[in-house]
Amino acid sequence: MPLGDLHRSTVMPDRIVLTWSGDPATSQAVTWRTSTVVKRALAQLALASDGPQGGGADHPATTVRFESSLGPAHYHSVEFTGLTPNALYA
């Protein structure tokens, strides 16, 4: 398999990056890549619990098309704001 094929985007999110914007105690941002087959992306965020997760709030992503030598891809991003400092999120 050619090396370029190993790095092409797919429907499975990859190149996931967590960072912040503004105050890192109350905001976080995440970006990820998918193939252009994914037309609508979202992230979910919930306070972490000891049991199975559920009830996370949906946050629609902003999606940008990107072209490279590997072909087209979609890059998605979501910014979470108003987070509680020192809280654990999933």
Side-chain angles (χ1 to χ4, degrees), residues 3 13 18-19 27 47 57 59 61 72 82 86 89:
L3 187 58
L18 181 66
T19 188
S27 72
L47 285 169
H59 298 267
N86 298 316
Y89 288 90

Side-chain angles (χ1 to χ4, degrees), residues 1-72:
M1 175 180 292
L3 187 58
D5 289 345
L6 293 174
H7 300 287
R8 291 191 196 286
S9 62
T10 67
V11 296
M12 182 67 72
D14 67 1
R15 299 186 181 184
I16 301 166
V17 177
L18 181 66
T19 188
W20 70 93
S21 62
D23 182 356
T26 59
S27 72
Q28 293 288 299
V30 63
T31 61
W32 67 97
R33 178 185 79 157
T34 65
S35 71
T36 57
V37 171
V38 177
K39 303 296 184 196
R40 180 179 170 267
L42 58 87
Q44 289 187 331
L45 184 71
L47 285 169
S49 67
D50 292 336
Q53 296 299 321
D58 290 347
H59 298 267
T62 299
T63 300
V64 175
R65 184 181 174 94
F66 180 77
E67 297 273 346
S68 75
S69 61
L70 298 174

